[in-house]
Amino acid sequence: MHNQTVAQLARGLREKQFSSVEVTRHLLERIAGLDAQYNSFITTCEDAALASARAADDRLAAGDAGPLTGIPLAHKDIFCTSGVRTSCGSRMLDNFVPPYDATVVERLRDAGTVTLGKTNMDEFAMGSSNENSYYGAVKNPWDTNCVPGGSSGGSAAAVAAGLVPAASGTDTGGSIRQPAAFCGITGLKPTYGRISRLGMVAFASSLDQAGPMARTAEDCALLLEAMAGHDPRDSTSVNRPVPDYCADLDKPLEGLRIGLPREYFGEGLQAATGDCIQAALKELENQGASLVEVSLPNSHLTIPTYYIIAPAEASTNLSRYDGVRYGYRCDNPADLDDLYTRTREEGFGDEVKRRILVGTYALSAGYYDAYYRKAQQARRLIRDDFLACFEQVDVIAGPTTPGPAFGLGEKSDDPVAMYLEDVYTLAVNLAGLPGMSVPAGLVEGKPVGLQLIGRHFEEARLLNTAHRFQQATDWHTRAPSQGGNA
Amino acid sequence: MQWEPVIGLEVHLQLATRSKIFSGSPTTFGAEPNTQASAVDLAMPGMLPVLNEQAVRFAVMFGLGIGAEIGKRSVFDRKNYFYPDLPKGYQISQFSDPVVGRGHFEIQLEDGSSREIGITRAHLEEDAGKSLHEDFHGQTGIDLNRAGTPLLEIVSEPDLRNAAEAVAYLKALHSLVTYLGISDGNMAEGSMRCDINISLRPAGSDTLGTRAEIKNVNSFRFVEKAIQHEIDRQSDILDDGGQVVQETRLYDADRNETRPMRSKEVANDYRYFPEPDLLPVVLEDAWIEAVRETLPELPWEKRHRFANQYQLNDYDAGVLAASRPLADYFEAVARDAGDAKIAANWVQVELLGRLNRDERGIESCPVPATHLAQLIQRILDNSISGKIAKQVFEAMWAGEGDADTVIAARGLKQVSDTGELEAMVDQVIAGSAAQVEQYLAADEGKRKKLVGYFVGQVMKLSKGQANPQVVNELLARKLG
């Protein structure tokens, strides 16, 4: 049951092969039994989950069920959940229980899904390894000595380990796609504005975007359809209709033009990973797509641009954690300055502090023009590069990451080496484009992801491409041995 | 040395929207602490601002009212600083692209002259909450009801030269914004708060001296006193050959002095940058024109119209047009009474005098315009004299009813009946033999004076209700 996709479970529920309560109970047992080795959950919600599952079973029995009714899933602990602690992986919010649901949570609940719990993550979504969590590192189910990627590492590991069929994630610079690649699952970061950010704890407001993480493109399509749509409470959410993402999944790839940015296949890409990507591209070509070499000439600006804009926004987004209204407060503050200083000193971890410092510096008087303004200009160049490519091609493809999952602790003392992990994913956020990672092979027993990037609001084309690829390959069906057949 | 003050004002105006600028919470003043603060106002994690269109409309109304350039694309920015009553750790404001650009309007001075004052810009922002230091021993209470109340910050050019001009500017601004209905202008409740930038320079010089900023002055009177005090302070420094320090000061009304704010209260680097949670505000020409259509008659337009239509002098017209409710009241009285000059006189002298004495505003005037108009009609139709009318007015003020009710109840109707008055005249003449003798002996010139005695006696006898004209005629006839 735990290796089934969302689509398979939905069919099973509709055909009464099993009930939502049975699936829910089975997965809760797996989490209880197996998650100690992965640490992918921060919080589980057994009672509430079983109650929702029972309600879903009633709807299924009454014939009043939608495509996701009774499907268990998990939410990254960045999404506020009414009455359930929402920590964002931080000591700062360890005691924070929101009185409201994020729009993503609300929509998926309204679609009938059953929330099993909240998944581990890098603190405030800052990280590429999930080692920056107040609740401890998450282990990659394919190799528990390796990181699962970050920041949505808990969601990716939980799906890979067969603890949930799907989970929500967020992606500010690759935080859905990179852990999806490392854990051998399928993850989609939609176009900026496609899914409401309301109730999603902000990291970098102009880059943050929620998305689905699951085993297949088809599952991502089912989830995206429920998650997407205009939300008047988020001014940056876009008011345009949500298409039927499942409608065109099977469309043949004949005539599809796929651009391969030369900058994504050069120095830095590990050879074995490159081979997997080439093989995947060959498969797409076999299905009728044409491969075209393209260029994103400003790619070299991506990392510096991202590491100014994201920390700048983060530095002020995180100002609200001041120990005054909610969240962590230091003991016995002597005065206001002491309250602020010690609360934030004790409440935030090192990476969060590092980014607050960088961002504060970049926005400071006298540095603003040299850093923030320049980064905004570079951001426009990066976006224009993509738009120019999309005049020649329909989809851009390349590796999600330079190589497979690295070892725990391997890069934790070298922030810059860690930042380089995101070299292929960051630009997509800067340009506001949709991007996906699809399992495309194994290197030394560890998964490798193929990244697909689309035009603004062309998620359906990415899902179609990925789905066709998954119809012809079985990488997405591979499961790590440890979590295998419990 | 003769110093010339150079003064510019920054006014923080609370806009009279029903809900806050970025959340749906109500903006009512005086509610229990923290009962009007939503998750957005509390800056709970994941909460996002949504711009209140009414706040933009009000700002644009102000801009159109002062003939300003309207920012067709204005941008919200974050102004970053830490303070317990600033929940997000930043204030959403507008920095480089405000909704209202350069404009100007005219102020009237007491000597009857007028001056044009430039407005540099006006931008939208959110108010902070309040820190309450009383009632909390060794602690600070935070009330976030005010957090997120829309503010329009109106920045003037340094065009003002003394305290009286600054007050005249504030009064004109107050009049404008209440006319537009974009603010209640209630200074006591903090709806209009003022920062004063002030520097001195040698009279005749073109260069600006070093300025001090006086924060958060909350009444016309305090603005006047704070400016006077600051002019004295700075000229003392300069006269002694010293230098004014550029700093932020606070006005202490109890001691009537300004003093520097503690340096911790002054943030140096606000790290402004565009608010990524909000889109730029793009205003279409058609929308702006539609807002223009809704503008009411503005104070100065009304003043000109009053002067022309009712033949009032500019000063009187200005007094009556200063507030919209007063102007409406005056126009209602003038219309119903049928004589604008007498109406203007009554509203300005009796009504405003009485309101001032009771420290009431026109909104809480106990005498409705229809009652005052009726009173004036009774003067015009000779039912009562002007003197009795004042008595009737006092009774109306005290709640004894409309003019006719008071006149009837108190029996104040003027006696014009010739028979009744003739009896009184006869009685007076009969009882004043000496005065009659004196009168008869006097020449024409003196008689005019002496007749006043008889009139007075008849008025006394009639308790002031005799029609003086009829009495005069009777006396002239009877005394020969």
Side-chain angles (χ1 to χ4, degrees), chain A residues 194-248:
Chain A
R194 181 72 284 185
I195 296 178
S196 170
R197 293 185 295 118
L198 187 86
M200 190 174 114
V201 179
F203 161 16
S205 310
S206 75
L207 302 163
D208 294 344
Q209 183 61 211
M213 303 175 78
R215 297 205 178 91
T216 65
E218 183 186 17
D219 286 2
C220 286
L222 284 165
L223 290 162
L224 177 63
E225 206 161 313
M227 295 165 83
H230 181 236
D231 181 355
R233 298 165 299 173
D234 171 5
S235 311
T236 63
S237 97
V238 176
N239 191 359
R240 67 188 269 162
V242 177
D244 177 353
Y245 290 113
C246 293
D248 286 337

Side-chain angles (χ1 to χ4, degrees), chain A residues 80 96 99-100 197-201 205-206 232-236 313 316-317 319-321 324-326 336-337 340 344 360 363-365 368 372, chain B residues 39 41-51 78 80 82-84 86-90 142 144 264 269 271-279:
Chain A
C80 288
F96 176 63
Y100 47 84
R197 293 185 295 118
L198 187 86
M200 190 174 114
V201 179
S205 310
S206 75
R233 298 165 299 173
D234 171 5
S235 311
T236 63
E313 292 181 5
T316 97
N317 278 336
S319 293
R320 66 188 61 195
Y321 308 110
V324 174
R325 296 167 311 286
Y326 53 78
L336 184 58
D337 275 348
Y340 285 154
R344 290 166 68 81
T360 303
L363 290 174
S364 296
Y368 182 87
Y372 189 78
Chain B
D41 306 319
L42 264 63
M44 300 287 267
M47 289 296 110
L48 295 169
V50 176
L51 179 60
R78 290 185 182 177
N80 295 286
F82 282 95
Y83 208 69
L86 186 75
K88 294 189 291 294
Y90 53 85
I142 305 294
L144 295 176
K264 276 185 185 168
D269 184 357
R271 305 192 311 281
Y272 281 101
F273 82 109
E275 162 60 286
D277 287 333
L278 291 167
L279 304 175

Side-chain angles (χ1 to χ4, degrees), chain B residues 229-241:
Chain B
H229 173 271
E230 187 61 17
I231 290 173
D232 292 346
R233 188 186 72 87
Q234 292 192 16
S235 53
D236 284 351
I237 294 172
L238 295 170
D239 283 341
D240 291 347

Side-chain angles (χ1 to χ4, degrees), chain B residues 350-364:
Chain B
E350 300 303 329
L351 188 84
L352 282 182
R354 200 66 184 74
L355 286 170
N356 285 342
R357 209 160 4 120
D358 280 16
E359 293 182 340
R360 295 172 94 149
I362 186 73
E363 297 82 357
S364 58

Side-chain angles (χ1 to χ4, degrees), chain B residues 411 415 421 424 457-467 471:
Chain B
V415 180
L421 290 179
M424 289 190 210
Q457 290 300 307
V458 176
M459 293 308 279
K460 204 169 164 185
L461 207 56
S462 72
K463 297 197 182 87
Q465 283 165 257
N467 181 330
V471 172

